[in-house]
Amino acid sequence: MKNLGQMLKQAQQMQEKMAEMQRALDLIEVEGHSGGGLVTVRMSAKGDLVGVSIDPTLMKPDEVEILEDLIKAAHHEARGKAQERSQEEMKKITGGLNLPEGMQLPF
């Protein structure tokens, strides 16, 4: 039973670390840029949209599709960076343990 008690204690510590990591991911911000920096999208490492910055020179009614594409491109870049940061934080908790693709903690 001593091993079971140890396992439960380790599981509780892992759960506490996961909760701490989730709070930290809210505070980490990443940026995605497109159009040579004319569009910037800021996201938390959890993937929540924090802000969008658009250079006023892009505000032309006849070029709405270009602006839409730039926003999507900047968002895509920011989302990739958010995922990378989230994975980095997860590795800190799991000690570099590689989880199978698609598997995330907590289970």
Side-chain angles (χ1 to χ4, degrees):
M1 283 297 177
K2 185 176 181 182
N3 285 341
L4 179 61
Q6 246 181 342
M7 285 176 50
L8 290 174
K9 185 176 179 179
Q10 288 176 339
Q12 182 180 12
Q13 289 173 343
M14 176 70 83
Q15 189 174 23
E16 289 169 3
K17 287 180 181 180
M18 287 296 298
E20 182 181 318
M21 183 196 74
Q22 291 296 320
R23 288 188 297 272
L25 291 177
D26 278 330
L27 301 175
I28 297 171
E29 284 189 16
V30 295
E31 290 186 351
H33 305 278
S34 65
L38 295 175
V39 174
T40 299
V41 170
R42 288 182 293 121
M43 299 179 77
S44 75
K46 281 177 102 172
D48 297 326
L49 183 64
V50 175
V52 177
S53 175
I54 302 169
D55 189 284
T57 61
L58 294 174
M59 305 293 186
K60 298 177 183 173
D62 57 335
E63 295 182 4
V64 172
E65 288 181 10
I66 294 171
L67 178 56
E68 291 170 346
D69 289 343
L70 290 172
I71 292 170
K72 286 189 277 186
H75 178 267
H76 180 75
E77 181 181 304
R79 188 180 65 204
K81 288 180 180 179
Q83 289 173 341
E84 286 176 19
R85 287 297 300 270
S86 180
Q87 289 172 355
E88 288 172 11
E89 295 299 314
M90 180 64 74
K91 283 182 183 179
K92 290 178 187 176
I93 289 177
T94 62
L97 174 69
N98 289 325
L99 297 175
E101 190 172 326
M103 180 181 238
Q104 296 181 2
L105 292 174
F107 302 104

